Amino acid sequence: MAYGFDTLQVHAGARPDPATGARQVPIYQTTAYVFRDAEHAAALFNLQEVGYIYSRLTNPTVAALQERMATLEGGAGAVCCSSGHAAQIMALFPLMGPGCNVVVSNRLYGGSITQFSQTIKRFGWSAKFVDIDDLEAVAAAIDDDTRAVFCESIANPGGHVADLRAVADVADAAGLPLIVDNTTATPYLCRPIEHGATLVVHSMTKYLTGNGTVTGGVVVDSGNFNWSASDKFPSLSEPEPAYHGLKFHETFGPLAFTFHGIAVGLRDLGMTLNPQAAHYTLLGIETLSLRMQRTVENAQAVAEWLEKDDRIEAVTYAGLASSPYHDRVAKYCPKGASGLFTATLKSGYDGCVKLVDSLELFSHVANLGDTRSLIIHSASTTHRQLTPEQQKAAGASPNVVRLSIGIETVDDIIADLDQALARASS
Ligand SMILES: *Cc1c(COP(=O)(O)O)cnc(C)c1O
């Protein structure tokens, strides 16, 4: 029998501890695992047997979280890592090589724009930024050296909802995987694999953990992509010298990407999630659907209130009837458009600064997806490394603030905004 989402968020990947019967997943606070004998050790190191060797690669607490995330996203397997940014590198690492490029949406989290436009160049990789709604531009940007297409399901901070099926079709026609950053939506609101995504990445730092305690990331693989259909993905289709010429795709089938991510990615890049962080994230995910329901309800009410307020020029919440993405919300995230959006203030840059300084319940922080309501002035913080054009494309112009609505009493959230807007506009 197939369990529902609310059951799976509590139980997937977890079973009573075989040694003690402990009901909650224990924090396996250990670096290494004793081998049964020399033969067992050799089999583990050859990937002939699956088991625990060293916690840079695998750890039982982290493995429970990997299984839970793969289940909730409807994927074949998952690799956890130390942050959302680590997950993006881990997603690209098996696909890319020097000279390769990735076609990415220009509406992304500011840190991702910096990572893709600057830092990945050090690996000899590059990114081509496109308007992800312009499918012809996406297709035209793809060349012989392209290895993936990347976008966010609901973009941070502007709330732009990507037409995942249409973008997946363009990637598919070019024989490429689509990677979707599903951080803002979470698998409760949107399941990108059902709409054609090959890989789903998350910053688990945000809604999945949900309480602002730890950083973490995950790459979930759908298991659907044929890595051997072309010669573009030799790390997965060709013999791996570090494992006696083993071919990951031929040997592990739909788990090829996951095994490669652990056996080569975590082994050699070392962006490992620690078991304490995995524990906090497992606890957070147990209540994901409940938090997201309240988050969506509150965000809808706050966005509607702000939209009517004459101190506000525009509100980007995709759940608003006035949003250009209203139809896409119905198709891709029918349970709601999450809790993240931007508001443009008539009082401009100075008004935004006064607003964040006048709020009492909201915290002015560089985070989102918390139980608490959060706000940030993106242009002076997360998006300040970007050019004015990049800021505008990312929905982070100087007169814009980003709000992440929490699960508090909605009247309190609105009252706080009301008093701070009064000061910001005076
Ligand atoms: C925060 C965030 C990231 C980066 O995640 P970290 O855990 O901070 O490394 C990536 N994508 C989106 C959409 C984010 O909001």
Side-chain angles (χ1 to χ4, degrees), residues 303-331:
E304 284 174 9
W305 180 84
L306 283 170
E307 191 180 39
K308 285 197 217 103
D309 195 286
D310 53 7
R311 295 163 293 192
I312 300 291
E313 196 173 295
V315 180
T316 61
Y317 191 55
L320 290 171
S322 60
S323 166
Y325 308 116
H326 203 249
D327 291 349
R328 289 192 192 163
V329 171
K331 180 168 177 189

PDB file of all heavy atoms in Angstrom, residues 303-331:
ATOM      1  N   ALA A 303       0.007  38.779   1.728  1.00  0.00           N
ATOM      2  CA  ALA A 303       0.201  39.312   0.370  1.00  0.00           C
ATOM      3  C   ALA A 303      -1.046  40.075  -0.090  1.00  0.00           C
ATOM      4  O   ALA A 303      -0.944  41.141  -0.697  1.00  0.00           O
ATOM      5  CB  ALA A 303       0.531  38.169  -0.595  1.00  0.00           C
ATOM      6  N   GLU A 304      -2.239  39.527   0.229  1.00  0.00           N
ATOM      7  CA  GLU A 304      -3.479  40.219  -0.162  1.00  0.00           C
ATOM      8  C   GLU A 304      -3.606  41.553   0.564  1.00  0.00           C
ATOM      9  O   GLU A 304      -4.025  42.561  -0.017  1.00  0.00           O
ATOM     10  CB  GLU A 304      -4.698  39.326   0.123  1.00  0.00           C
ATOM     11  CG  GLU A 304      -4.836  38.223  -0.920  1.00  0.00           C
ATOM     12  CD  GLU A 304      -5.942  37.217  -0.603  1.00  0.00           C
ATOM     13  OE1 GLU A 304      -6.732  37.454   0.335  1.00  0.00           O
ATOM     14  OE2 GLU A 304      -5.994  36.182  -1.312  1.00  0.00           O
ATOM     15  N   TRP A 305      -3.226  41.575   1.835  1.00  0.00           N
ATOM     16  CA  TRP A 305      -3.295  42.817   2.616  1.00  0.00           C
ATOM     17  C   TRP A 305      -2.313  43.863   2.051  1.00  0.00           C
ATOM     18  O   TRP A 305      -2.673  45.013   1.843  1.00  0.00           O
ATOM     19  CB  TRP A 305      -2.983  42.518   4.087  1.00  0.00           C
ATOM     20  CG  TRP A 305      -3.030  43.731   4.960  1.00  0.00           C
ATOM     21  CD1 TRP A 305      -4.145  44.289   5.534  1.00  0.00           C
ATOM     22  CD2 TRP A 305      -1.915  44.553   5.327  1.00  0.00           C
ATOM     23  NE1 TRP A 305      -3.784  45.406   6.232  1.00  0.00           N
ATOM     24  CE2 TRP A 305      -2.425  45.590   6.128  1.00  0.00           C
ATOM     25  CE3 TRP A 305      -0.548  44.518   5.059  1.00  0.00           C
ATOM     26  CZ2 TRP A 305      -1.613  46.586   6.669  1.00  0.00           C
ATOM     27  CZ3 TRP A 305       0.266  45.504   5.591  1.00  0.00           C
ATOM     28  CH2 TRP A 305      -0.269  46.531   6.396  1.00  0.00           C
ATOM     29  N   LEU A 306      -1.098  43.422   1.764  1.00  0.00           N
ATOM     30  CA  LEU A 306      -0.097  44.356   1.234  1.00  0.00           C
ATOM     31  C   LEU A 306      -0.508  44.893  -0.134  1.00  0.00           C
ATOM     32  O   LEU A 306      -0.315  46.079  -0.432  1.00  0.00           O
ATOM     33  CB  LEU A 306       1.263  43.649   1.101  1.00  0.00           C
ATOM     34  CG  LEU A 306       2.074  43.440   2.385  1.00  0.00           C
ATOM     35  CD1 LEU A 306       3.266  42.525   2.106  1.00  0.00           C
ATOM     36  CD2 LEU A 306       2.556  44.770   2.959  1.00  0.00           C
ATOM     37  N   GLU A 307      -1.067  43.998  -0.958  1.00  0.00           N
ATOM     38  CA  GLU A 307      -1.423  44.415  -2.323  1.00  0.00           C
ATOM     39  C   GLU A 307      -2.433  45.557  -2.308  1.00  0.00           C
ATOM     40  O   GLU A 307      -2.413  46.437  -3.171  1.00  0.00           O
ATOM     41  CB  GLU A 307      -1.990  43.212  -3.099  1.00  0.00           C
ATOM     42  CG  GLU A 307      -2.126  43.483  -4.588  1.00  0.00           C
ATOM     43  CD  GLU A 307      -2.675  42.292  -5.349  1.00  0.00           C
ATOM     44  OE1 GLU A 307      -3.575  41.608  -4.821  1.00  0.00           O
ATOM     45  OE2 GLU A 307      -2.218  42.057  -6.476  1.00  0.00           O
ATOM     46  N   LYS A 308      -3.318  45.570  -1.287  1.00  0.00           N
ATOM     47  CA  LYS A 308      -4.352  46.617  -1.202  1.00  0.00           C
ATOM     48  C   LYS A 308      -3.826  47.896  -0.558  1.00  0.00           C
ATOM     49  O   LYS A 308      -4.496  48.921  -0.577  1.00  0.00           O
ATOM     50  CB  LYS A 308      -5.532  46.090  -0.366  1.00  0.00           C
ATOM     51  CG  LYS A 308      -6.397  45.094  -1.110  1.00  0.00           C
ATOM     52  CD  LYS A 308      -7.755  44.948  -0.412  1.00  0.00           C
ATOM     53  CE  LYS A 308      -8.252  43.510  -0.466  1.00  0.00           C
ATOM     54  NZ  LYS A 308      -8.089  42.768   0.785  1.00  0.00           N
ATOM     55  N   ASP A 309      -2.653  47.826   0.069  1.00  0.00           N
ATOM     56  CA  ASP A 309      -2.144  48.970   0.832  1.00  0.00           C
ATOM     57  C   ASP A 309      -1.544  50.012  -0.108  1.00  0.00           C
ATOM     58  O   ASP A 309      -0.747  49.677  -0.995  1.00  0.00           O
ATOM     59  CB  ASP A 309      -1.079  48.481   1.817  1.00  0.00           C
ATOM     60  CG  ASP A 309      -0.770  49.518   2.879  1.00  0.00           C
ATOM     61  OD1 ASP A 309      -0.089  50.519   2.549  1.00  0.00           O
ATOM     62  OD2 ASP A 309      -1.228  49.338   4.017  1.00  0.00           O
ATOM     63  N   ASP A 310      -1.909  51.291   0.092  1.00  0.00           N
ATOM     64  CA  ASP A 310      -1.431  52.279  -0.892  1.00  0.00           C
ATOM     65  C   ASP A 310       0.013  52.745  -0.657  1.00  0.00           C
ATOM     66  O   ASP A 310       0.528  53.562  -1.407  1.00  0.00           O
ATOM     67  CB  ASP A 310      -2.416  53.459  -1.058  1.00  0.00           C
ATOM     68  CG  ASP A 310      -2.757  54.085   0.256  1.00  0.00           C
ATOM     69  OD1 ASP A 310      -2.126  53.690   1.249  1.00  0.00           O
ATOM     70  OD2 ASP A 310      -3.654  54.950   0.305  1.00  0.00           O
ATOM     71  N   ARG A 311       0.684  52.189   0.370  1.00  0.00           N
ATOM     72  CA  ARG A 311       2.111  52.476   0.529  1.00  0.00           C
ATOM     73  C   ARG A 311       2.968  51.495  -0.293  1.00  0.00           C
ATOM     74  O   ARG A 311       4.174  51.620  -0.384  1.00  0.00           O
ATOM     75  CB  ARG A 311       2.504  52.368   2.008  1.00  0.00           C
ATOM     76  CG  ARG A 311       1.836  53.426   2.866  1.00  0.00           C
ATOM     77  CD  ARG A 311       1.877  53.099   4.348  1.00  0.00           C
ATOM     78  NE  ARG A 311       1.065  51.940   4.693  1.00  0.00           N
ATOM     79  CZ  ARG A 311       0.750  51.588   5.946  1.00  0.00           C
ATOM     80  NH1 ARG A 311       1.185  52.291   6.969  1.00  0.00           N
ATOM     81  NH2 ARG A 311       0.002  50.526   6.173  1.00  0.00           N
ATOM     82  N   ILE A 312       2.283  50.510  -0.883  1.00  0.00           N
ATOM     83  CA  ILE A 312       2.963  49.434  -1.617  1.00  0.00           C
ATOM     84  C   ILE A 312       2.687  49.570  -3.113  1.00  0.00           C
ATOM     85  O   ILE A 312       1.543  49.795  -3.522  1.00  0.00           O
ATOM     86  CB  ILE A 312       2.438  48.053  -1.134  1.00  0.00           C
ATOM     87  CG1 ILE A 312       2.707  47.861   0.355  1.00  0.00           C
ATOM     88  CG2 ILE A 312       3.007  46.899  -1.962  1.00  0.00           C
ATOM     89  CD1 ILE A 312       4.165  47.704   0.714  1.00  0.00           C
ATOM     90  N   GLU A 313       3.738  49.432  -3.899  1.00  0.00           N
ATOM     91  CA  GLU A 313       3.573  49.531  -5.355  1.00  0.00           C
ATOM     92  C   GLU A 313       3.218  48.182  -5.976  1.00  0.00           C
ATOM     93  O   GLU A 313       2.380  48.093  -6.859  1.00  0.00           O
ATOM     94  CB  GLU A 313       4.887  50.050  -5.952  1.00  0.00           C
ATOM     95  CG  GLU A 313       4.773  50.557  -7.357  1.00  0.00           C
ATOM     96  CD  GLU A 313       6.106  51.191  -7.757  1.00  0.00           C
ATOM     97  OE1 GLU A 313       6.483  52.214  -7.148  1.00  0.00           O
ATOM     98  OE2 GLU A 313       6.767  50.630  -8.648  1.00  0.00           O
ATOM     99  N   ALA A 314       3.877  47.123  -5.521  1.00  0.00           N
ATOM    100  CA  ALA A 314       3.629  45.809  -6.120  1.00  0.00           C
ATOM    101  C   ALA A 314       4.010  44.695  -5.153  1.00  0.00           C
ATOM    102  O   ALA A 314       4.875  44.860  -4.291  1.00  0.00           O
ATOM    103  CB  ALA A 314       4.452  45.663  -7.403  1.00  0.00           C
ATOM    104  N   VAL A 315       3.327  43.551  -5.298  1.00  0.00           N
ATOM    105  CA  VAL A 315       3.597  42.359  -4.492  1.00  0.00           C
ATOM    106  C   VAL A 315       3.712  41.190  -5.465  1.00  0.00           C
ATOM    107  O   VAL A 315       2.869  41.040  -6.352  1.00  0.00           O
ATOM    108  CB  VAL A 315       2.445  42.086  -3.487  1.00  0.00           C
ATOM    109  CG1 VAL A 315       2.736  40.851  -2.646  1.00  0.00           C
ATOM    110  CG2 VAL A 315       2.213  43.298  -2.592  1.00  0.00           C
ATOM    111  N   THR A 316       4.766  40.365  -5.324  1.00  0.00           N
ATOM    112  CA  THR A 316       4.990  39.311  -6.329  1.00  0.00           C
ATOM    113  C   THR A 316       4.408  37.949  -5.961  1.00  0.00           C
ATOM    114  O   THR A 316       4.663  36.982  -6.655  1.00  0.00           O
ATOM    115  CB  THR A 316       6.502  39.081  -6.564  1.00  0.00           C
ATOM    116  OG1 THR A 316       7.093  38.655  -5.326  1.00  0.00           O
ATOM    117  CG2 THR A 316       7.187  40.320  -7.091  1.00  0.00           C
ATOM    118  N   TYR A 317       3.676  37.840  -4.876  1.00  0.00           N
ATOM    119  CA  TYR A 317       3.249  36.495  -4.441  1.00  0.00           C
ATOM    120  C   TYR A 317       2.468  35.780  -5.541  1.00  0.00           C
ATOM    121  O   TYR A 317       1.456  36.287  -6.046  1.00  0.00           O
ATOM    122  CB  TYR A 317       2.404  36.609  -3.165  1.00  0.00           C
ATOM    123  CG  TYR A 317       2.147  35.262  -2.522  1.00  0.00           C
ATOM    124  CD1 TYR A 317       3.200  34.417  -2.180  1.00  0.00           C
ATOM    125  CD2 TYR A 317       0.846  34.829  -2.265  1.00  0.00           C
ATOM    126  CE1 TYR A 317       2.978  33.179  -1.589  1.00  0.00           C
ATOM    127  CE2 TYR A 317       0.611  33.593  -1.663  1.00  0.00           C
ATOM    128  CZ  TYR A 317       1.684  32.776  -1.332  1.00  0.00           C
ATOM    129  OH  TYR A 317       1.463  31.553  -0.758  1.00  0.00           O
ATOM    130  N   ALA A 318       2.961  34.601  -5.922  1.00  0.00           N
ATOM    131  CA  ALA A 318       2.351  33.873  -7.043  1.00  0.00           C
ATOM    132  C   ALA A 318       0.953  33.368  -6.712  1.00  0.00           C
ATOM    133  O   ALA A 318       0.184  33.031  -7.614  1.00  0.00           O
ATOM    134  CB  ALA A 318       3.261  32.712  -7.461  1.00  0.00           C
ATOM    135  N   GLY A 319       0.602  33.338  -5.424  1.00  0.00           N
ATOM    136  CA  GLY A 319      -0.743  32.909  -5.037  1.00  0.00           C
ATOM    137  C   GLY A 319      -1.801  33.978  -5.236  1.00  0.00           C
ATOM    138  O   GLY A 319      -3.008  33.710  -5.119  1.00  0.00           O
ATOM    139  N   LEU A 320      -1.398  35.215  -5.549  1.00  0.00           N
ATOM    140  CA  LEU A 320      -2.376  36.286  -5.778  1.00  0.00           C
ATOM    141  C   LEU A 320      -3.080  36.094  -7.124  1.00  0.00           C
ATOM    142  O   LEU A 320      -2.447  35.672  -8.104  1.00  0.00           O
ATOM    143  CB  LEU A 320      -1.681  37.651  -5.768  1.00  0.00           C
ATOM    144  CG  LEU A 320      -1.147  38.133  -4.413  1.00  0.00           C
ATOM    145  CD1 LEU A 320      -0.288  39.384  -4.593  1.00  0.00           C
ATOM    146  CD2 LEU A 320      -2.304  38.404  -3.444  1.00  0.00           C
ATOM    147  N   ALA A 321      -4.363  36.431  -7.158  1.00  0.00           N
ATOM    148  CA  ALA A 321      -5.122  36.306  -8.412  1.00  0.00           C
ATOM    149  C   ALA A 321      -4.493  37.173  -9.497  1.00  0.00           C
ATOM    150  O   ALA A 321      -4.567  36.864 -10.685  1.00  0.00           O
ATOM    151  CB  ALA A 321      -6.575  36.705  -8.178  1.00  0.00           C
ATOM    152  N   SER A 322      -3.830  38.279  -9.087  1.00  0.00           N
ATOM    153  CA  SER A 322      -3.230  39.197 -10.061  1.00  0.00           C
ATOM    154  C   SER A 322      -1.882  38.710 -10.592  1.00  0.00           C
ATOM    155  O   SER A 322      -1.318  39.311 -11.503  1.00  0.00           O
ATOM    156  CB  SER A 322      -3.022  40.557  -9.389  1.00  0.00           C
ATOM    157  OG  SER A 322      -2.158  40.404  -8.268  1.00  0.00           O
ATOM    158  N   SER A 323      -1.332  37.614 -10.020  1.00  0.00           N
ATOM    159  CA  SER A 323      -0.002  37.171 -10.435  1.00  0.00           C
ATOM    160  C   SER A 323      -0.028  36.575 -11.838  1.00  0.00           C
ATOM    161  O   SER A 323      -0.925  35.787 -12.168  1.00  0.00           O
ATOM    162  CB  SER A 323       0.533  36.115  -9.461  1.00  0.00           C
ATOM    163  OG  SER A 323       1.657  35.467 -10.026  1.00  0.00           O
ATOM    164  N   PRO A 324       0.990  36.915 -12.665  1.00  0.00           N
ATOM    165  CA  PRO A 324       1.058  36.291 -13.999  1.00  0.00           C
ATOM    166  C   PRO A 324       1.299  34.779 -13.905  1.00  0.00           C
ATOM    167  O   PRO A 324       1.157  34.080 -14.901  1.00  0.00           O
ATOM    168  CB  PRO A 324       2.245  37.002 -14.662  1.00  0.00           C
ATOM    169  CG  PRO A 324       3.017  37.645 -13.559  1.00  0.00           C
ATOM    170  CD  PRO A 324       2.054  37.900 -12.444  1.00  0.00           C
ATOM    171  N   TYR A 325       1.687  34.297 -12.715  1.00  0.00           N
ATOM    172  CA  TYR A 325       1.989  32.863 -12.572  1.00  0.00           C
ATOM    173  C   TYR A 325       0.842  32.081 -11.946  1.00  0.00           C
ATOM    174  O   TYR A 325       1.015  30.932 -11.551  1.00  0.00           O
ATOM    175  CB  TYR A 325       3.270  32.688 -11.747  1.00  0.00           C
ATOM    176  CG  TYR A 325       4.386  33.518 -12.308  1.00  0.00           C
ATOM    177  CD1 TYR A 325       4.941  34.548 -11.589  1.00  0.00           C
ATOM    178  CD2 TYR A 325       4.849  33.276 -13.602  1.00  0.00           C
ATOM    179  CE1 TYR A 325       5.941  35.333 -12.130  1.00  0.00           C
ATOM    180  CE2 TYR A 325       5.840  34.062 -14.155  1.00  0.00           C
ATOM    181  CZ  TYR A 325       6.383  35.085 -13.412  1.00  0.00           C
ATOM    182  OH  TYR A 325       7.355  35.859 -13.953  1.00  0.00           O
ATOM    183  N   HIS A 326      -0.317  32.722 -11.840  1.00  0.00           N
ATOM    184  CA  HIS A 326      -1.452  32.103 -11.166  1.00  0.00           C
ATOM    185  C   HIS A 326      -1.794  30.735 -11.775  1.00  0.00           C
ATOM    186  O   HIS A 326      -2.025  29.764 -11.052  1.00  0.00           O
ATOM    187  CB  HIS A 326      -2.656  33.054 -11.243  1.00  0.00           C
ATOM    188  CG  HIS A 326      -3.659  32.783 -10.160  1.00  0.00           C
ATOM    189  ND1 HIS A 326      -4.897  32.263 -10.426  1.00  0.00           N
ATOM    190  CD2 HIS A 326      -3.574  32.923  -8.816  1.00  0.00           C
ATOM    191  CE1 HIS A 326      -5.552  32.104  -9.278  1.00  0.00           C
ATOM    192  NE2 HIS A 326      -4.771  32.507  -8.296  1.00  0.00           N
ATOM    193  N   ASP A 327      -1.777  30.640 -13.109  1.00  0.00           N
ATOM    194  CA  ASP A 327      -2.108  29.360 -13.760  1.00  0.00           C
ATOM    195  C   ASP A 327      -1.045  28.299 -13.492  1.00  0.00           C
ATOM    196  O   ASP A 327      -1.346  27.123 -13.357  1.00  0.00           O
ATOM    197  CB  ASP A 327      -2.230  29.546 -15.280  1.00  0.00           C
ATOM    198  CG  ASP A 327      -3.449  30.379 -15.628  1.00  0.00           C
ATOM    199  OD1 ASP A 327      -4.284  30.612 -14.727  1.00  0.00           O
ATOM    200  OD2 ASP A 327      -3.557  30.819 -16.796  1.00  0.00           O
ATOM    201  N   ARG A 328       0.218  28.755 -13.447  1.00  0.00           N
ATOM    202  CA  ARG A 328       1.299  27.785 -13.175  1.00  0.00           C
ATOM    203  C   ARG A 328       1.232  27.272 -11.741  1.00  0.00           C
ATOM    204  O   ARG A 328       1.590  26.135 -11.473  1.00  0.00           O
ATOM    205  CB  ARG A 328       2.664  28.417 -13.447  1.00  0.00           C
ATOM    206  CG  ARG A 328       2.897  28.616 -14.923  1.00  0.00           C
ATOM    207  CD  ARG A 328       4.343  28.970 -15.190  1.00  0.00           C
ATOM    208  NE  ARG A 328       4.464  29.432 -16.556  1.00  0.00           N
ATOM    209  CZ  ARG A 328       5.493  30.118 -17.021  1.00  0.00           C
ATOM    210  NH1 ARG A 328       6.502  30.407 -16.218  1.00  0.00           N
ATOM    211  NH2 ARG A 328       5.537  30.490 -18.275  1.00  0.00           N
ATOM    212  N   VAL A 329       0.796  28.120 -10.816  1.00  0.00           N
ATOM    213  CA  VAL A 329       0.627  27.655  -9.433  1.00  0.00           C
ATOM    214  C   VAL A 329      -0.401  26.524  -9.422  1.00  0.00           C
ATOM    215  O   VAL A 329      -0.186  25.474  -8.817  1.00  0.00           O
ATOM    216  CB  VAL A 329       0.188  28.815  -8.504  1.00  0.00           C
ATOM    217  CG1 VAL A 329      -0.207  28.286  -7.133  1.00  0.00           C
ATOM    218  CG2 VAL A 329       1.313  29.830  -8.364  1.00  0.00           C
ATOM    219  N   ALA A 330      -1.506  26.721 -10.143  1.00  0.00           N
ATOM    220  CA  ALA A 330      -2.550  25.688 -10.190  1.00  0.00           C
ATOM    221  C   ALA A 330      -2.002  24.381 -10.758  1.00  0.00           C
ATOM    222  O   ALA A 330      -2.366  23.293 -10.317  1.00  0.00           O
ATOM    223  CB  ALA A 330      -3.728  26.185 -11.033  1.00  0.00           C
ATOM    224  N   LYS A 331      -1.082  24.486 -11.727  1.00  0.00           N
ATOM    225  CA  LYS A 331      -0.554  23.280 -12.360  1.00  0.00           C
ATOM    226  C   LYS A 331       0.557  22.621 -11.545  1.00  0.00           C
ATOM    227  O   LYS A 331       0.574  21.411 -11.395  1.00  0.00           O
ATOM    228  CB  LYS A 331      -0.018  23.661 -13.753  1.00  0.00           C
ATOM    229  CG  LYS A 331       0.558  22.478 -14.529  1.00  0.00           C
ATOM    230  CD  LYS A 331       0.810  22.842 -15.993  1.00  0.00           C
ATOM    231  CE  LYS A 331       1.447  21.672 -16.732  1.00  0.00           C
ATOM    232  NZ  LYS A 331       1.891  22.035 -18.075  1.00  0.00           N
TER     233      LYS A 331
END
